[in-house]
Every structure is written in C-alpha cells, then in structure tokens.
mmCIF file of all heavy atoms in Angstrom:
data_model
loop_
_atom_site.group_PDB
_atom_site.id
_atom_site.type_symbol
_atom_site.label_atom_id
_atom_site.label_comp_id
_atom_site.label_asym_id
_atom_site.label_seq_id
_atom_site.Cartn_x
_atom_site.Cartn_y
_atom_site.Cartn_z
ATOM 1 N N SER A 1394 -59.424 37.757 222.671
ATOM 2 C CA SER A 1394 -60.571 37.067 223.256
ATOM 3 C C SER A 1394 -61.714 37.103 222.257
ATOM 4 O O SER A 1394 -61.845 38.044 221.469
ATOM 5 C CB SER A 1394 -61.003 37.749 224.551
ATOM 6 O OG SER A 1394 -62.266 37.310 224.960
ATOM 7 N N SER A 1395 -62.553 36.110 222.302
ATOM 8 C CA SER A 1395 -63.785 36.124 221.472
ATOM 9 C C SER A 1395 -64.947 36.570 222.326
ATOM 10 O O SER A 1395 -66.008 35.969 222.326
ATOM 11 C CB SER A 1395 -64.051 34.755 220.893
ATOM 12 O OG SER A 1395 -64.232 33.794 221.911
ATOM 13 N N ALA A 1396 -64.786 37.669 223.050
ATOM 14 C CA ALA A 1396 -65.829 38.105 223.972
ATOM 15 C C ALA A 1396 -67.084 38.597 223.249
ATOM 16 O O ALA A 1396 -68.170 38.581 223.809
ATOM 17 C CB ALA A 1396 -65.261 39.261 224.836
ATOM 18 N N SER A 1397 -66.952 38.998 222.005
ATOM 19 C CA SER A 1397 -68.119 39.458 221.236
ATOM 20 C C SER A 1397 -68.642 38.336 220.359
ATOM 21 O O SER A 1397 -67.846 37.545 219.859
ATOM 22 C CB SER A 1397 -67.746 40.657 220.373
ATOM 23 O OG SER A 1397 -67.244 41.723 221.158
ATOM 24 N N PRO A 1398 -69.935 38.250 220.144
ATOM 25 C CA PRO A 1398 -70.481 37.185 219.302
ATOM 26 C C PRO A 1398 -70.094 37.428 217.847
ATOM 27 O O PRO A 1398 -69.984 38.556 217.383
ATOM 28 C CB PRO A 1398 -71.995 37.303 219.470
ATOM 29 C CG PRO A 1398 -72.191 38.744 219.867
ATOM 30 C CD PRO A 1398 -71.002 39.120 220.672
ATOM 31 N N VAL A 1399 -69.878 36.320 217.107
ATOM 32 C CA VAL A 1399 -69.572 36.423 215.692
ATOM 33 C C VAL A 1399 -70.851 36.708 214.941
ATOM 34 O O VAL A 1399 -71.892 36.128 215.184
ATOM 35 C CB VAL A 1399 -68.947 35.123 215.180
ATOM 36 C CG1 VAL A 1399 -68.790 35.149 213.670
ATOM 37 C CG2 VAL A 1399 -67.600 34.900 215.859
ATOM 38 N N SER A 1400 -70.781 37.639 213.992
ATOM 39 C CA SER A 1400 -71.950 37.987 213.177
ATOM 40 C C SER A 1400 -71.562 38.026 211.717
ATOM 41 O O SER A 1400 -70.412 38.371 211.380
ATOM 42 C CB SER A 1400 -72.480 39.373 213.599
ATOM 43 O OG SER A 1400 -73.425 39.853 212.658
ATOM 44 N N ASP A 1401 -72.479 37.686 210.851
ATOM 45 C CA ASP A 1401 -72.243 37.772 209.406
ATOM 46 C C ASP A 1401 -72.537 39.154 208.870
ATOM 47 O O ASP A 1401 -72.352 39.432 207.690
ATOM 48 C CB ASP A 1401 -73.101 36.735 208.657
ATOM 49 C CG ASP A 1401 -72.606 35.330 208.919
ATOM 50 O OD1 ASP A 1401 -71.392 35.171 209.133
ATOM 51 O OD2 ASP A 1401 -73.421 34.398 208.912
ATOM 52 N N ASP A 1402 -73.039 40.052 209.696
ATOM 53 C CA ASP A 1402 -73.356 41.418 209.269
ATOM 54 C C ASP A 1402 -72.066 42.172 209.028
ATOM 55 O O ASP A 1402 -71.248 42.360 209.932
ATOM 56 C CB ASP A 1402 -74.192 42.099 210.372
ATOM 57 C CG ASP A 1402 -74.593 43.523 209.999
ATOM 58 O OD1 ASP A 1402 -74.257 43.947 208.865
ATOM 59 O OD2 ASP A 1402 -75.231 44.170 210.824
ATOM 60 N N THR A 1403 -71.884 42.664 207.819
ATOM 61 C CA THR A 1403 -70.597 43.354 207.486
ATOM 62 C C THR A 1403 -70.443 44.620 208.304
ATOM 63 O O THR A 1403 -69.329 45.076 208.527
ATOM 64 C CB THR A 1403 -70.545 43.696 206.011
ATOM 65 O OG1 THR A 1403 -71.674 44.507 205.655
ATOM 66 C CG2 THR A 1403 -70.542 42.442 205.146
ATOM 67 N N SER A 1404 -71.553 45.237 208.775
ATOM 68 C CA SER A 1404 -71.406 46.469 209.573
ATOM 69 C C SER A 1404 -70.752 46.183 210.889
ATOM 70 O O SER A 1404 -70.184 47.080 211.528
ATOM 71 C CB SER A 1404 -72.783 47.089 209.805
ATOM 72 O OG SER A 1404 -73.604 46.239 210.595
ATOM 73 N N ALA A 1405 -70.776 44.914 211.338
ATOM 74 C CA ALA A 1405 -70.142 44.557 212.617
ATOM 75 C C ALA A 1405 -68.642 44.812 212.565
ATOM 76 O O ALA A 1405 -68.026 45.082 213.577
ATOM 77 C CB ALA A 1405 -70.420 43.110 212.979
ATOM 78 N N THR A 1406 -68.049 44.728 211.392
ATOM 79 C CA THR A 1406 -66.618 44.934 211.284
ATOM 80 C C THR A 1406 -66.232 46.377 211.468
ATOM 81 O O THR A 1406 -65.084 46.687 211.719
ATOM 82 C CB THR A 1406 -66.101 44.435 209.925
ATOM 83 O OG1 THR A 1406 -66.790 45.130 208.901
ATOM 84 C CG2 THR A 1406 -66.269 42.935 209.770
ATOM 85 N N THR A 1407 -67.186 47.295 211.361
ATOM 86 C CA THR A 1407 -66.876 48.710 211.581
ATOM 87 C C THR A 1407 -67.289 49.180 212.962
ATOM 88 O O THR A 1407 -66.726 50.123 213.476
ATOM 89 C CB THR A 1407 -67.613 49.581 210.537
ATOM 90 O OG1 THR A 1407 -69.008 49.445 210.696
ATOM 91 C CG2 THR A 1407 -67.182 49.206 209.127
ATOM 92 N N ASP A 1408 -68.290 48.533 213.561
ATOM 93 C CA ASP A 1408 -68.856 49.056 214.810
ATOM 94 C C ASP A 1408 -68.529 48.198 216.027
ATOM 95 O O ASP A 1408 -68.591 48.677 217.148
ATOM 96 C CB ASP A 1408 -70.379 49.127 214.689
ATOM 97 C CG ASP A 1408 -70.816 50.037 213.550
ATOM 98 O OD1 ASP A 1408 -70.072 51.007 213.297
ATOM 99 O OD2 ASP A 1408 -71.863 49.774 212.934
ATOM 100 N N ALA A 1409 -68.234 46.936 215.871
ATOM 101 C CA ALA A 1409 -68.059 46.042 217.003
ATOM 102 C C ALA A 1409 -66.766 45.255 216.867
ATOM 103 O O ALA A 1409 -66.747 44.068 216.590
ATOM 104 C CB ALA A 1409 -69.225 45.078 217.116
ATOM 105 N N ILE A 1410 -65.656 45.952 217.021
ATOM 106 C CA ILE A 1410 -64.344 45.334 216.918
ATOM 107 C C ILE A 1410 -64.093 44.474 218.154
ATOM 108 O O ILE A 1410 -64.381 44.891 219.271
ATOM 109 C CB ILE A 1410 -63.239 46.394 216.782
ATOM 110 C CG1 ILE A 1410 -63.498 47.224 215.525
ATOM 111 C CG2 ILE A 1410 -61.865 45.759 216.718
ATOM 112 C CD1 ILE A 1410 -62.619 48.405 215.420
ATOM 113 N N TYR A 1411 -63.539 43.314 217.957
ATOM 114 C CA TYR A 1411 -63.255 42.443 219.089
ATOM 115 C C TYR A 1411 -62.291 43.127 220.041
ATOM 116 O O TYR A 1411 -61.282 43.695 219.612
ATOM 117 C CB TYR A 1411 -62.608 41.136 218.605
ATOM 118 C CG TYR A 1411 -63.622 40.065 218.291
ATOM 119 C CD1 TYR A 1411 -64.405 40.169 217.154
ATOM 120 C CD2 TYR A 1411 -63.838 38.986 219.126
ATOM 121 C CE1 TYR A 1411 -65.350 39.188 216.858
ATOM 122 C CE2 TYR A 1411 -64.748 38.022 218.828
ATOM 123 C CZ TYR A 1411 -65.514 38.128 217.697
ATOM 124 O OH TYR A 1411 -66.446 37.181 217.409
ATOM 125 N N PRO A 1412 -62.582 43.080 221.357
ATOM 126 C CA PRO A 1412 -61.645 43.708 222.316
ATOM 127 C C PRO A 1412 -60.337 42.922 222.397
ATOM 128 O O PRO A 1412 -60.332 41.718 222.216
ATOM 129 C CB PRO A 1412 -62.408 43.597 223.633
ATOM 130 C CG PRO A 1412 -63.311 42.421 223.470
ATOM 131 C CD PRO A 1412 -63.705 42.422 222.013
ATOM 132 N N HIS A 1413 -59.267 43.627 222.669
ATOM 133 C CA HIS A 1413 -57.961 42.975 222.854
ATOM 134 C C HIS A 1413 -57.888 42.549 224.330
ATOM 135 O O HIS A 1413 -57.929 43.351 225.243
ATOM 136 C CB HIS A 1413 -56.827 43.943 222.587
ATOM 137 C CG HIS A 1413 -56.679 44.246 221.142
ATOM 138 N ND1 HIS A 1413 -55.494 44.614 220.571
ATOM 139 C CD2 HIS A 1413 -57.565 44.212 220.128
ATOM 140 C CE1 HIS A 1413 -55.643 44.814 219.293
ATOM 141 N NE2 HIS A 1413 -56.895 44.581 218.991
ATOM 142 N N SER A 1414 -57.793 41.268 224.557
ATOM 143 C CA SER A 1414 -57.528 40.765 225.885
ATOM 144 C C SER A 1414 -56.469 39.686 225.744
ATOM 145 O O SER A 1414 -56.005 39.391 224.677
ATOM 146 C CB SER A 1414 -58.813 40.238 226.560
ATOM 147 O OG SER A 1414 -59.332 39.162 225.844
ATOM 148 N N PHE A 1415 -56.084 39.079 226.850
ATOM 149 C CA PHE A 1415 -54.908 38.232 226.829
ATOM 150 C C PHE A 1415 -55.200 36.902 227.515
ATOM 151 O O PHE A 1415 -56.120 36.767 228.298
ATOM 152 C CB PHE A 1415 -53.751 38.930 227.571
ATOM 153 C CG PHE A 1415 -53.586 40.343 227.155
ATOM 154 C CD1 PHE A 1415 -54.106 41.382 227.908
ATOM 155 C CD2 PHE A 1415 -52.911 40.660 225.981
ATOM 156 C CE1 PHE A 1415 -53.945 42.689 227.515
ATOM 157 C CE2 PHE A 1415 -52.742 41.973 225.592
ATOM 158 C CZ PHE A 1415 -53.268 42.986 226.365
ATOM 159 N N ASN A 1416 -54.364 35.931 227.172
ATOM 160 C CA ASN A 1416 -54.384 34.702 227.932
ATOM 161 C C ASN A 1416 -52.956 34.231 228.117
ATOM 162 O O ASN A 1416 -52.010 34.869 227.656
ATOM 163 C CB ASN A 1416 -55.262 33.634 227.247
ATOM 164 C CG ASN A 1416 -54.646 33.138 225.963
ATOM 165 O OD1 ASN A 1416 -53.622 33.639 225.488
ATOM 166 N ND2 ASN A 1416 -55.268 32.120 225.381
ATOM 167 N N SER A 1417 -52.793 33.157 228.798
ATOM 168 C CA SER A 1417 -51.477 32.629 229.058
ATOM 169 C C SER A 1417 -50.930 31.912 227.845
ATOM 170 O O SER A 1417 -51.656 31.245 227.138
ATOM 171 C CB SER A 1417 -51.525 31.658 230.257
ATOM 172 O OG SER A 1417 -50.310 30.944 230.353
ATOM 173 N N ALA A 1418 -49.618 32.039 227.613
ATOM 174 C CA ALA A 1418 -48.995 31.352 226.496
ATOM 175 C C ALA A 1418 -49.136 29.832 226.663
ATOM 176 O O ALA A 1418 -49.108 29.094 225.655
ATOM 177 C CB ALA A 1418 -47.508 31.701 226.403
#
C-alpha cells in the first residue's frame, strides 16, 4: 500500500518504511 506519503528526504528511507498491506489480485 502507499499509505505513507512519498518524500524526497533520504532519512525517510530509514525511519518511515512503507507498511505491508494487501489488495486483491
């Protein structure tokens, strides 16, 4: 899921990992 906003801040890749969620195939 893209539940978290996209950021260009490189620190976001260490602190705000996108949650794993699911959808239908």
